[in-house]
Amino acid sequence: MSTPVTVQQISADGGRRVSVRSGGETHILGIAYSDVDVIEFLRRAGLNEPGLLLDDPAWVEWRGGRPHEWVAA
């Protein structure tokens, strides 16, 4: 089973698309440019204490780069 939250690879402008899977559907929450953005997207999606979830691999999958990496190489 995959994680409910996915943070995609870094785009050319340094942003990463964030999506959440719920009820069998995937919903794009937005483009994050920092951990603060991801936390805010997850808070708006109704997750409790989203800041604690960022390093939990059962909740968040960071694709195409290291977790918390925001500058395109």
Side-chain angles (χ1 to χ4, degrees):
M1 184 170 159
S2 62
T3 60
V5 178
T6 303
V7 181
Q8 297 291 341
Q9 69 185 32
I10 302 167
S11 66
D13 69 356
R16 299 176 83 156
R17 187 177 68 201
V18 179
S19 59
V20 66
R21 198 173 28 77
S22 176
E25 296 182 12
T26 299
H27 305 277
I28 296 171
L29 301 179
I31 304 297
Y33 293 91
S34 69
D35 285 357
V36 173
D37 292 339
V38 178
I39 291 168
E40 179 61 14
F41 293 153
L42 299 182
R43 184 193 66 77
R44 289 180 185 180
L47 295 171
N48 292 325
E49 300 189 43
L52 299 177
L53 302 177
L54 294 186
D55 291 316
D56 185 343
W59 276 95
V60 179
E61 177 184 2
W62 296 82
R63 291 186 181 169
R66 293 185 307 256
H68 314 288
E69 184 175 63
W70 298 102
V71 178

